[in-house]
Amino acid sequence: MFLLSLPRTINMKKWIIILILLIEVPAKIYAQQKLKGTILNDDGSPIANASISCKLMGTLSDNNGHFVLKISKDCNSISIKAVGYISKTITIASFDTILVVLQKVQQELYEVVVVSGYGKRGIKGKISSTKNSGLINDKPSENKFIVTTCEPVSTFGVDVDKASYSHLRRQINENEHVDANNIKIEEMINYFDYDYLPSTNANPYSLYSEITTCPWNQTHEILKIAFKGKIESHENYTPAHFVFLIDVSGSMNGADRLDLVKESFKLLLDSLNKEDLISIVTYAGKAGIALEATSVENKRQIFSVIDNLVSGGKTAGSKGINTAYDLAEKYFIEDGNNRIILATDGDFNVGVTNYKALEKLITEKKKTGIYLTGLGFGTGNYKDEVMEILADKGNGNYYYIDNLAEAKRVLQKDFKGTINTIAKDVKLQVEFNGIIVSGYRLIGYENRLLNKEDFKDDNKDAGEIGEGHVVTVLYEIIRANAATNDNMLDTAKCSKLLSNVGANILATLKTRYKLPDSNKSVKLDHILPTNTIAFEQATHNTKWAIIVAMLGMYLKDSPYLENVEFSEILELAKLNIDYKNEKEVEFNQLLDKLKTQD
């Protein structure tokens, strides 16, 4: 304690201002304090992607369990959460480096099944200890080779969903048996970031193609086709109304379900503008409105509603969807972004469980300009196929959130592309030249195939491309002069030789799309040249997409992968990884885990 002697020459008003500044300086310094720490498992290993938060401030731990959290002056305690671990709340005694140890949640072992492997080859001796054992059912079908002179045209709708890869990653990280039925190779490929320049003209996307030798069959080749969505200028911000439709039924109880949903939506709020509106609808035995349209500027109020959500009861999913659409229509923003964001494990067991009826509802509602995005959570009874259908029919995207790092990627880093559709009902039709290509096989997209006549039908639904999105397509092709002895081409049903598209053209690529506010499609044609380069000289984008496809084929026990061993895929990935790309680094870490489980 000390006394100040005020000089008579100092103006009293100026002295008061000086005193105020002296008082405020410590508060500002205090507000800028940072808390550092490490999050560990009870066995001493680091916990990555743990959530550390206080008030409106939050961060994630890195791969070493380390974190740095900015502390506001009104922060008295921090909350620490990680999927699969018991959460902790710690009172802040001083600003210092702290060490936090989390204990794993003890899961009830419903059933223990020893699994022999993935078929004739694969990762062996894996153990499933979840309620659903994850045993492979019937072997998933893949697109077969088609004789070009029998049918030169391949038609399908685009897909930018990425959930299959996230689901696979969770299964590998948790030492579960991988269900080959859930592997969608196109979603695995499209999960990764590829370095393409977006369109700079009036078209909503730019096109890239490349032909390279096939690493699993030297007598075949791989045709890669890629689309890069245009990036808008956003000079004038388009306001949005998002309806958070949150499943709070009993099946959503747990750290990897409702707890992760809460943290994910908090991350999303940090990506939005204060002009945006948020509504919250919950559903269990019945649907209810937890929050009417509220400005993001009132973030504390929205956080409070989210934090107070609890799970219990059965799942009246259809009631929740209807209520969400009612609320979206009530606060509809003309020329704005109106979207429902559904978070659930997909287990709809009360009310209208006829998925065709739900499809019809969502298809009708999207005509009003209200789209739907699906976020999948949880394990065990997780309904992957339900979520995909609902998002597809709602002109939206579908993601599987297995940890906070993935939530951050989807709801912060990639969110602009998720919500800003630049082209809808995008269809592709590739017409191969029968003189140059004797046979072809589309890799993936099995549930996106269309009939030839659907290409011109503007009433036929297809996929959407968002701002900055990349869509990658791979074809395995056999040249007409290829020195191959395989019997993959069945000409028994071929009735006539069809005309070709040009002597020096491999194929013609035709695309159709609609602008977001239009119901009439626009057609674009592209010529694909015939030149091929060796796999070793191919671009990184092409090589990486092929490597990811190889892993998907391997885990599906694909008959087209010939005699490729897992070690060969691992070696290719190690040779071609971009260590600056976190997704590619993570992919290699997953391969290393698979290797130890082999």
Side-chain angles (χ1 to χ4, degrees), residues 362-375:
I362 292 170
T363 301
E364 288 298 319
K365 292 296 184 181
K366 76 177 179 183
K367 296 177 182 177
T368 67
I370 301 171
Y371 291 178
L372 184 144
T373 290
L375 305 178

Side-chain angles (χ1 to χ4, degrees), residues 9 51 134 163 285 294 305 311 331 443 462 547 558 577:
T9 56
S51 166
T294 301
V305 172
S311 61
Y331 297 101
I443 300 176
I547 291 168
S558 172
I577 183 176

Side-chain angles (χ1 to χ4, degrees), residues 82-85 104-105 107 109 118 125-133 166-178 255-257 260 377-380 400-404 589-590 593-594 596-597:
V83 175
Y85 294 86
K104 285 187 175 181
V105 176
Q107 301 286 350
L109 299 181
Y118 294 113
K126 302 197 70 175
I127 298 177
S128 170
S129 59
T130 58
K131 188 171 184 179
N132 287 352
S133 64
S166 302
H167 204 270
L168 173 65
R169 177 180 58 208
R170 182 199 59 76
Q171 290 177 316
I172 295 173
N173 282 331
E174 297 185 7
N175 295 314
E176 290 185 8
H177 184 72
V178 175
D256 65 334
R257 299 189 182 223
L260 184 55
F377 294 84
T379 59
Y400 179 77
I401 308 294
D402 57 333
N403 56 47
L404 274 174
Q589 291 171 346
L590 291 180
K593 287 186 178 182
L594 281 173
T596 63
Q597 297 163 357

Side-chain angles (χ1 to χ4, degrees), residues 30 56 104 161 263 287 295 309 359 377 383 458 464 477 500 508 518 522:
Y30 183 90
L56 298 181
K104 285 187 175 181
D161 291 337
E263 298 303 317
S295 170
L309 297 178
E359 284 183 38
F377 294 84
K383 302 295 191 300
D458 280 355
E464 284 67 48
I477 61 176
N500 63 75
T508 298
S518 174
V522 177

Side-chain angles (χ1 to χ4, degrees), residues 24-59:
E24 286 189 341
V25 167
K28 289 182 179 180
I29 293 175
Y30 183 90
Q32 294 173 353
Q33 290 284 359
K34 295 180 179 179
L35 177 66
K36 299 180 180 180
T38 303
I39 312 296
L40 298 179
N41 190 348
D42 52 14
D43 64 2
S45 60
I47 299 176
N49 302 318
S51 166
I52 305 95
S53 60
C54 182
K55 301 296 182 181
L56 298 181
M57 307 301 292
T59 188

Side-chain angles (χ1 to χ4, degrees), residues 50-113:
S51 166
I52 305 95
S53 60
C54 182
K55 301 296 182 181
L56 298 181
M57 307 301 292
T59 188
L60 299 174
S61 59
D62 60 21
N63 289 335
N64 297 314
H66 301 322
F67 72 89
V68 178
L69 176 67
K70 293 180 180 179
I71 301 294
S72 60
K73 65 179 182 179
D74 58 346
C75 176
N76 299 315
S77 62
I78 60 171
S79 174
I80 302 163
K81 300 178 181 179
V83 175
Y85 294 86
I86 299 173
S87 302
K88 274 190 177 181
T89 300
I90 298 177
T91 301
I92 300 175
S94 63
F95 293 102
D96 201 352
T97 300
I98 65 171
L99 176 65
V100 181
V101 177
L102 298 182
Q103 291 184 326
K104 285 187 175 181
V105 176
Q106 295 300 315
Q107 301 286 350
E108 181 181 358
L109 299 181
Y110 294 95
E111 181 179 1
V112 177
V113 180

